[in-house]
């Protein structure tokens, strides 16, 4: 696989936390469903990552895996359009993690912002373990083992993609300069033919001397079209134009995803830890009960008191679920006390239950046929392992671990 092709590959994963909620649906899963039709997508269950904080009690991980995967399928993640698998069933993740640990400076891991944040939030747990310190490196291995060019993340996770880019850069710098690299690269240019060779050299000069990013992109496109050079030569020329060596591990780019704007039942971020969530496949009666008992604008003590929608968590949900006419009805009715809080909540209840109906239907198919879920994950594992083995073969060879 060439590094240019890596730009069409997306990698994303979730820790198995059990059944998901509507915050996951609007913040992650709807985006996955969209991406699977635009890119080659690998979606994995990060069960090893779950052990970094739950190593002392892993009893709930297995059931959480199945519950979460069924939620993925119910939400529309399609095994025919994406590759779904469990991280621990692809041991190449662990091997690449080990090999990358040989070259990763300790300080890089210690400076990750979430390292200290998580230690502070989970003070009741003993997180003075290598697994916890090294989990950003395992995340990097998760990405690099598939040579994924794009990683969908929220703004708070960009630092994890950045350290992955630094690790890939360091690896390529250490191991991409094979003996005779420049001679082989120059030989590959000749194989392109006079016209293309001249164009490549011109683009290389413009990029290296003027920093012309358009020239770099044009050169990448030119290399992708070449039929008379090998995959290895293409990789050499890709690295040569950037002034480095052969690109073995392409640097991924963060694919920023909009933060879920769906608030929890109390107006805070929807979270199981806050117990303010509506499950992705919550029963209709439970949805209705949770919405009816949601807190509202504290100024509306009596039905005749006017309210302010912007101070009410219910309005935050209307902005996601209601059309313009309904939103106008809420704004006017609340401020004039023309509608009560239960009136305001009724169309929201209906909209959420309607959204969840097809999710319940799809989930029932998989809950009633666990063998089908196992089969999907088995097929995904085989596809994932094929891609990961290709990467490890090159990595081992570059590090001098390729034995005949």
């Amino acid at each position: 696989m060439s590094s240019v092709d890596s730009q069409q590959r997306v990698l994303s994963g979730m820790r198995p936390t059990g059944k998901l909620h509507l915050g996951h649906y609007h913040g992650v899963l709807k985006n996955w469903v969209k991406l699977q039709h635009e890119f080659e997508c690998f979606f994995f269950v990060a069960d090893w990552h779950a052990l970094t904080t739950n190593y002392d009690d892993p009893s709930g991980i297995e059931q959480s895996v199945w519950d979460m995967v069924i939620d993925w399928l119910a939400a529309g993640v399609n095994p025919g359009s994406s590759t779904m698998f469990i991280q621990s069933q692809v041991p190449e993740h662990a091997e690449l993690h080990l090999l990358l640990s040989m070259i990763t400076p300790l300080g890089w891991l210690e400076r990750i912002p979430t390292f200290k944040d998580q230690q502070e939030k989970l003070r009741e747990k003993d997180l003075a373990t290598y697994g916890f310190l090294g989990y950003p490196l395992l995340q990097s291995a998760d990405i690099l083992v598939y040579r994924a060019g794009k990683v969908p993340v929220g703004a708070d996770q960009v630092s994890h993609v950045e350290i992955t880019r630094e690790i890939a850069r360091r690896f390529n710098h250490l191991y991409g300069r094979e003996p005779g690299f420049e001679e082989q690269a120059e030989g590959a240019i000749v194989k392109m033919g006079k016209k293309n060779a001249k164009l490549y050299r011109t683009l290389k000069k413009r990029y290296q001397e003027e920093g012309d990013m358009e020239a770099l992109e044009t050169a990448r496109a030119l290399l992708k079209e070449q039929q008379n050079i090998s995959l290895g030569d293409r990789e050499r020329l890709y690295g040569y134009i950037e002034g480095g060596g052969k690109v073995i591990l392409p640097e991924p780019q963060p694919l920023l995803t909009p933060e879920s704007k769906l608030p929890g039942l109390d107006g805070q971020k929807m979270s199981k830890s806050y117990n303010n969530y509506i499950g992705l496949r919550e029963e209709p009666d439970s949805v209705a009960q949770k919405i009816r008992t949601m807190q509202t604008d504290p100024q509306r003590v009596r039905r005749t008191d006017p309210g302010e929608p912007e101070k009410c968590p219910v309005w935050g949900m209307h902005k996601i679920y209601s059309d313009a006419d309904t939103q106008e009805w809420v704004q006017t009715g609340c401020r004039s006390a023309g509608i009560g809080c239960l009136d305001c909540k009724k169309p929201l209840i209906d909209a959420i239950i309607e959204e969840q109906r097809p999710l319940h239907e799809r989930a029932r198919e998989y809950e009633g046929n666990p063998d089908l879920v196992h089969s999907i994950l088995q097929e995904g594992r085989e596809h994932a392992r094929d891609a990961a083995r290709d990467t490890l073969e090159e990595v081992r060879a570059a590090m001098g671990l390729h034995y005949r």
Side-chain angles (χ1 to χ4, degrees):
M1 188 187 104
S2 75
S3 53
V4 176
D5 294 334
S6 77
Q7 296 305 307
Q8 291 302 310
R9 184 172 281 184
V10 166
L11 185 284
S12 190
M14 280 190 197
R15 290 191 186 204
T17 55
K19 292 182 178 179
L20 304 179
H21 53 64
L22 291 180
H24 295 119
Y25 181 61
H26 287 278
V28 178
L29 292 178
K30 286 175 79 172
N31 189 47
W32 281 13
V33 171
K34 176 175 173 285
L35 289 173
Q36 70 184 351
H37 300 300
E38 299 173 359
F39 299 96
E40 181 189 12
C41 290
F42 288 75
F43 300 133
F44 72 97
V45 178
D47 55 339
W48 276 335
H49 285 293
L51 287 173
T52 60
T53 52
N54 293 337
Y55 64 85
D56 54 339
D57 182 18
S59 58
I61 291 178
E62 183 177 1
Q63 186 58 47
S64 292
V65 168
W66 304 123
D67 289 340
M68 188 172 76
V69 170
I70 288 174
D71 276 343
W72 291 1
L73 294 163
V77 180
N78 187 343
S81 303
S82 60
T83 299
M84 303 165 57
F85 62 98
I86 298 172
Q87 179 188 33
S88 65
Q89 293 188 339
V90 182
E92 285 77 11
H93 287 240
E95 183 180 352
L96 186 58
H97 176 222
L98 171 68
L99 295 175
L100 294 177
S101 74
M102 305 302 178
I103 69 165
T104 303
L106 195 59
W108 288 13
L109 299 174
E110 292 173 331
R111 77 176 189 223
I112 296 286
T114 50
F115 175 65
K116 289 183 179 177
D117 290 346
Q118 287 289 304
Q119 281 190 319
E120 188 65 25
K121 288 178 183 175
L122 302 172
R123 271 187 285 184
E124 74 282 2
K125 290 181 174 287
D126 177 11
L127 296 180
T129 62
Y130 167 72
F132 183 71
L133 175 66
Y135 86 87
L137 183 58
L138 179 56
Q139 284 186 323
S140 295
D142 296 332
I143 298 165
L144 295 173
V145 79
Y146 299 104
R147 294 189 266 199
K150 292 181 169 60
V151 184
V153 291
D156 59 335
Q157 290 287 311
V158 169
S159 60
H160 290 282
V161 181
E162 186 54 41
I163 191 176
T164 303
R165 289 169 55 79
E166 291 178 355
I167 290 165
R169 202 174 302 138
R170 181 171 170 83
F171 185 93
N172 293 329
H173 175 73
L174 288 171
Y175 304 112
R177 279 277 178 179
E178 59 202 323
F181 170 76
E182 291 192 11
E183 291 80 359
Q184 291 188 63
E186 287 292 336
I189 294 173
V190 173
K191 295 176 189 175
M192 293 167 64
K194 287 185 179 180
K195 182 180 177 182
N196 287 330
K198 182 179 179 181
L199 176 58
Y200 176 85
R201 292 185 195 281
T202 301
L203 294 168
K204 178 173 178 284
K205 184 176 181 180
R206 278 170 48 195
Y207 174 68
Q208 292 185 351
E209 294 184 6
E210 303 168 25
D212 186 339
M213 293 303 296
E214 187 177 336
L216 177 61
E217 292 305 318
T218 304
R220 286 173 172 167
L222 175 68
L223 291 173
K224 190 173 182 179
E225 294 169 358
Q226 297 307 301
Q227 300 296 320
N228 50 345
I229 60 173
S230 67
L231 179 61
D233 280 341
R234 187 176 291 119
E235 292 291 352
R236 287 183 189 94
L237 293 181
Y238 183 79
Y240 195 41
I241 196 170
E242 292 192 333
K246 179 180 176 182
V247 175
I248 301 167
L249 297 177
E251 295 180 33
Q253 299 289 340
L255 191 62
L256 280 174
T257 56
E259 188 176 347
S260 174
K261 294 181 173 60
L262 184 70
L265 298 170
D266 56 0
Q268 299 185 79
K269 179 180 178 180
M270 188 173 285
S271 169
K272 287 185 177 180
S273 59
Y274 297 155
N275 196 29
N276 67 350
Y277 66 95
I278 295 174
L280 186 71
R281 295 181 280 131
E282 191 112 3
E283 289 302 319
D285 288 347
S286 179
V287 171
Q289 177 63 16
K290 284 186 175 182
I291 297 295
R292 286 194 196 102
T293 56
M294 273 183 76
Q295 66 184 55
T296 54
D297 180 358
Q299 299 302 311
R300 291 204 74 178
V301 180
R302 292 177 295 274
R303 167 69 171 75
T304 54
D305 292 334
E308 173 49 60
E310 297 297 340
K311 296 179 180 178
C312 178
V314 179
W315 171 243
M317 288 195 169
H318 271 296
K319 288 193 286 188
I320 300 297
Y321 281 100
S322 299
D323 59 24
D325 289 343
T326 303
Q327 289 185 25
E328 177 64 27
W329 172 76
V330 169
Q331 289 274 354
T332 304
C334 180
R335 290 195 172 103
S336 66
I339 61 172
C341 292
L342 287 177
D343 299 324
C344 173
K345 292 172 177 178
K346 178 65 169 61
L348 190 57
I349 292 170
D350 293 341
I352 293 174
I353 290 174
E354 183 59 32
E355 179 184 63
Q356 290 184 321
R357 183 173 288 113
L359 277 64
H360 282 290
E361 290 173 1
R362 283 194 289 263
R364 276 194 288 272
E365 175 189 354
Y366 295 108
E367 286 181 317
N369 190 354
D371 286 346
L372 177 58
V373 180
H374 284 266
S375 174
I376 288 168
L377 292 172
Q378 171 73 15
E379 187 174 332
R381 178 183 73 175
E382 294 307 315
H383 185 214
R385 285 206 75 181
D386 285 345
R389 284 190 189 109
D390 288 345
T391 302
L392 262 299
E393 188 173 327
E394 265 199 76
V395 167
R396 292 188 203 107
M399 296 183 78
L401 302 173
H402 191 259
Y403 305 107
R404 294 183 181 275

